[in-house]
Amino acid sequence: MTAVLLAATCAVVYGTADFFGGLATRRSRVLAVVMLTQVTGLLFVLPLLPLLPGAPSLGALTWGMAAGLAGGLAVILFYRALAGGVMSVVAPTTATMSMALPVVVGLLMGERPEPVALGGVAVALAAVVLVSRETGGAGGRAALTPILTSLASGIGFGGFFILLKQVPEDTGMWPLFGARLSSVVVVAVLALSTGRTLRPGKGSLPTIIAAGVLDMAANVLYLLAVQRGLLALVAVLVSLYPASTLLLARYVLGERLNAVQTAGVGLALAAVALIASA
């Protein structure tokens, strides 16, 4: 139950972070948003290192840095998709892939969730598919490109979830320090090699900082959850984050929810209940 609560809370925080990140990409270049959110997250996790139990180790830092590489590339692709697509479609599409990959890997690793929990996984997958359904749309290549970018981003996030599951349980937040350090390096190298500016757009810095703090807070919750539960279940619950992104987009930006998307939000809540009852 502890893992379920941590993962469900993580999903809400991830969804809120993505909402702020999506807003920031409308005012600043993608790499600038990614770099500043990653740096903000690194500064957020530093004070936690001595406060939470755990000691650094080569294995923890190595797994963390590998996760950061996958996550850093995923964030770049995700924010690029948000900048070019509809927030209430991009987030669920990314989540579908980031959910499916850890479930498959978890089962291959020998995890065997209870039948009720597996039913919750199926309901959660249906929920993500439903909330990704958009009424109307431009169609064609303009609509396809953000979707393909979202799917690639989902693969990166799925890799991030899987790699963090491999870290030793007695290393505290050090894996997240390694993850964020490597992602900062990746984004910096990419920006330098392409000559892109890392200066945020006017008035976007508070939004970027909020996205960075919330994203790292969600990472902390995920690490704590996956250390206490099965990868196949924790990753599924975390991947329900589009529900909060979608609701924020609805009530803050005025993006309308159709009946199918509303049903998807309801299924997301049902999935959490099923997995929690297992």
Side-chain angles (χ1 to χ4, degrees):
M1 181 60 70
T2 300
V4 170
L5 291 175
L6 287 169
T9 304
C10 175
V12 174
V13 179
Y14 264 139
T16 307
D18 289 344
F19 174 76
F20 281 106
L23 288 181
T25 57
R26 300 183 178 186
R27 302 177 183 176
S28 301
R29 293 184 179 275
V30 171
L31 281 182
V33 174
V34 175
M35 172 57 87
L36 290 174
T37 56
Q38 300 300 291
V39 171
T40 299
L42 182 61
L43 295 176
F44 178 81
V45 79
L46 283 176
L48 299 180
L49 297 177
L51 294 178
L52 297 178
S57 69
L58 179 60
L61 292 175
T62 300
W63 283 114
M65 292 178 73
L69 178 61
L73 294 175
V75 169
I76 293 173
L77 292 170
F78 182 67
Y79 282 174
R80 189 175 298 279
L82 284 175
V86 178
M87 189 180 296
S88 57
V89 174
V90 169
T93 303
T94 302
T96 302
M97 184 60 70
S98 67
M99 175 198 300
L101 197 58
V103 169
V104 172
V105 171
L107 294 175
L108 291 176
M109 290 170 58
E111 295 183 353
R112 293 296 180 265
E114 296 292 331
V116 173
L118 286 176
V121 171
V123 172
L125 180 59
V128 171
V129 172
L130 289 179
V131 296
S132 68
R133 293 291 299 274
E134 182 188 11
T135 301
R141 185 178 301 273
L144 181 61
T145 299
I147 296 297
L148 294 177
T149 305
S150 300
L151 290 173
S153 174
I155 293 175
F157 283 128
F160 176 82
F161 293 149
I162 293 167
L163 291 167
L164 276 187
K165 174 64 175 177
Q166 314 309 313
V167 304
E169 295 185 6
D170 59 349
T171 52
M173 295 296 108
W174 285 97
L176 293 181
F177 170 76
R180 195 45 49 99
L181 186 63
S182 67
S183 64
V184 167
V185 172
V186 167
V187 177
V189 170
L190 185 59
L192 289 174
S193 62
T194 58
R196 303 289 180 86
T197 179
L198 296 178
R199 181 177 298 175
K202 184 177 180 181
S204 64
L205 188 57
T207 306
I208 294 174
I209 292 174
V213 169
L214 289 168
D215 180 66
M216 180 52 73
N219 288 341
V220 171
L221 291 168
Y222 171 76
L223 185 58
L224 294 174
V226 82
Q227 289 174 346
R228 291 162 172 78
L230 299 179
L231 171 65
L233 298 185
V234 170
V236 165
L237 290 175
V238 170
S239 296
L240 292 174
Y241 69 85
S244 57
T245 305
L246 187 151
L247 290 174
L248 285 170
R250 167 66 181 90
Y251 290 106
V252 177
L253 301 181
E255 292 186 5
R256 300 182 62 182
L257 300 182
N258 57 42
V260 176
Q261 289 174 318
T262 303
V265 174
L267 281 182
L269 297 176
V272 174
L274 284 172
I275 293 174
S277 66

